[in-house]
Amino acid sequence: MKPFTKKLVLENGKEFPGYGFGSDRTAVCEIVFNTSMVGYQEIVSDPTYTDQIVVMTYPLMGNYGFADEDYESKFPSMGGMVVRECCDSPSNFRYTKTLNEAFEELDVPGISGVDTRMITRIIRNEGTQKAAIVPFEMSHEEAMELIRTTELRHNLLERISCKKRWFSRTPNHKWDVVAVDCGIKYSFIRQLNAKGCNVTIVPYNSTAEEIMAFNPDGVFISNGPGNPADAAVICQTIKDLRGKLPIFGVDLGHQLIAISYGAKNEKMKVGHRGANHPVKCLESGKLEIVVQNHGYTIDEASLSGTPLTITHRNLLDNTIAGIEAVEDKIFSVQYQPDCSPEASSTYLFDKFIKLMEEEKNA
């Protein structure tokens, strides 16, 4: 048996020795788990996982490598990854790097060979907590002191949002959309392009006046990391834009739209992270199996007195997964209706297009 090189230490004091891969740096972050069986490259490069150590519940990762075309962001900012087994011999004609090589390049530390089932149970039972990936030689006392004294970073949007506006154009476009970058995934931009939208991506702190200067047909509020309460500047922008043009929000954007109407959000014990969450559309009655990635939910009682109505619910815990304000032409969902044109939830992009068409013809 080869000697251990790294260990995962949880805030509750439990240690899990294993084998390091990727970056050799030490990481102290919030630890969460993801139940997806595939899509690890998209998870690693999703800005919503900024400064989080992600435990993958599916045991084998890296078996199809990394492909240059499949990244969801230019500068991935995940805190670390915990896997049962790391495959270093991918079987995929498209791959350009192994999991280990990609993590080295992205400066993301990883650890393999640990009991991911036990770690997942601990998070499920005790809730998310701080954790550290450290050298195996580090003493338990030193690791616990490192966890205790490390403050988790806030205001993550300042770090991961674009600094200047940029464009993603499509031939023969019909619509002009401004996307507010709270940590936007490239797949959302591709989906809007596929629907005939030219997309202008702007920084998270852009004002309503700066957005309206682009003369858009609609506004997209993107996904992103951190506590929605840290993004008050975007809530003010949403307030200033309400009723002027259609607005569509996803994940963090969903939370921010709710807050802009005076609703409150609350941190979940574990959160929803994975590609297999059942969500019901209350209007159609249809069930959707969706990708979710969030640690906060809307306090349902706080919606009282607002024009927001609930449109979707997560069937695992009955939390709110969609809201809408019909008069203001605003709607949002707490999941990710992207990935491909065949995805079951891409009708939401069609709804956004329809609202823009109605507004233009009004």
Side-chain angles (χ1 to χ4, degrees):
M1 181 176 175
K2 60 181 182 180
F4 295 123
T5 59
K6 294 280 186 177
K7 63 182 176 181
L8 175 73
V9 184
L10 303 183
E11 191 174 11
N12 67 5
K14 291 186 170 61
E15 287 190 356
F16 298 87
Y19 307 99
F21 65 91
S23 172
D24 195 42
R25 69 178 176 87
T26 294
V28 181
C29 306
E30 179 186 42
I31 190 167
V32 301
F33 65 82
N34 186 294
T35 56
S36 300
M37 296 176 65
V38 295
Y40 53 80
Q41 179 174 352
E42 289 79 2
I43 292 168
V44 170
S45 56
D46 182 348
T48 308
Y49 287 108
T50 297
D51 287 353
Q52 289 182 325
I53 294 173
V54 181
V55 181
M56 301 300 296
T57 61
Y58 190 71
L60 178 62
M61 292 293 142
N63 52 313
Y64 55 86
F66 273 59
D68 290 341
E69 299 86 0
D70 294 345
Y71 285 95
E72 289 286 6
S73 62
K74 190 174 183 179
F75 303 106
S77 48
M78 174 184 277
M81 182 173 277
V82 182
V83 303
R84 176 61 184 169
E85 182 179 349
C86 175
C87 174
D88 211 32
S89 301
S91 178
N92 176 11
F93 74 97
R94 294 180 64 244
Y95 97 90
T96 54
K97 294 183 181 69
T98 66
L99 182 66
N100 179 56
E101 290 168 341
F103 273 43
E104 284 182 341
E105 183 177 85
L106 299 173
D107 195 31
V108 176
I111 183 171
S112 65
V114 299
D115 190 343
T116 51
R117 293 177 300 177
M118 180 180 290
I119 299 168
T120 301
R121 288 193 187 102
I122 291 172
I123 299 170
R124 183 191 64 190
N125 295 335
E126 301 180 14
T128 57
Q129 56 190 280
K130 286 197 287 186
I133 298 175
V134 299
F136 179 70
E137 298 78 18
M138 181 179 288
S139 70
H140 180 76
E141 292 74 18
E142 187 178 356
M144 293 302 295
E145 179 66 12
L146 178 65
I147 293 172
R148 188 187 66 80
T149 57
T150 300
E151 291 289 332
L152 298 182
R153 287 189 283 190
H154 295 276
N155 299 319
L156 300 177
L157 300 190
E158 296 179 8
R159 174 181 164 196
I160 53 95
S161 179
C162 63
K163 303 301 184 286
K164 298 287 185 179
R165 60 99 180 96
W166 59 282
F167 304 105
S168 180
R169 298 184 175 92
T170 188
N172 304 314
H173 83 285
K174 296 181 179 179
W175 313 103
D176 292 292
V177 172
V178 169
V180 179
D181 181 9
C182 305
I184 194 168
K185 290 170 49 179
Y186 287 167
S187 53
F188 288 133
I189 300 171
R190 290 192 291 264
Q191 194 72 47
L192 288 166
N193 286 157
K195 297 293 183 180
C197 301
N198 274 353
V199 184
T200 303
I201 300 90
V202 299
Y204 79 99
N205 55 357
S206 299
T207 65
E209 291 74 18
E210 290 169 339
I211 290 173
M212 293 301 291
F214 291 102
N215 195 28
D217 299 301
V219 173
F220 180 79
I221 313 295
S222 84
N223 60 296
N227 187 340
D230 292 337
V233 62
I234 308 176
C235 297
Q236 184 59 51
T237 298
I238 295 171
K239 282 183 183 180
D240 295 339
L241 292 172
R242 282 190 327 220
K244 295 181 179 179
L245 74 178
I247 299 176
F248 177 24
V250 296
D251 280 357
L252 181 62
H254 165 80
Q255 293 284 342
L256 297 176
I257 286 173
I259 294 173
S260 76
Y261 280 94
K264 298 178 180 179
N265 64 84
E266 53 189 9
K267 186 170 176 59
M268 305 172 73
K269 180 180 179 181
V270 176
H272 296 154
R273 297 175 180 88
N276 44 15
H277 285 265
V279 165
K280 183 177 182 179
C281 174
L282 302 183
E283 180 181 4
S284 66
K286 290 184 177 180
L287 174 68
E288 304 168 30
I289 303 299
V290 303
V291 175
Q292 287 196 303
N293 179 12
H294 64 103
Y296 290 81
T297 187
I298 296 171
D299 176 11
E300 187 165 341
S302 70
L303 291 179
S304 178
T306 74
L308 295 171
T309 58
I310 300 171
T311 59
H312 297 74
R313 284 194 181 275
N314 183 298
L315 296 183
L316 294 179
D317 56 12
N318 208 40
T319 52
I320 298 171
I323 54 175
E324 183 174 24
V326 176
E327 290 298 320
D328 290 336
K329 303 178 288 293
I330 292 179
F331 71 102
S332 62
V333 290
Q334 187 72 81
Y335 57 92
Q336 301 184 0
D338 56 347
C339 299
S340 73
E342 293 76 32
S344 64
S345 301
T346 54
Y347 71 89
L348 293 164
F349 288 97
D350 295 327
K351 178 177 180 176
F352 185 43
I353 299 295
K354 184 179 178 181
L355 286 175
M356 290 192 289
E357 186 173 11
E358 291 173 352
E359 179 70 11
K360 199 166 191 177
N361 297 331

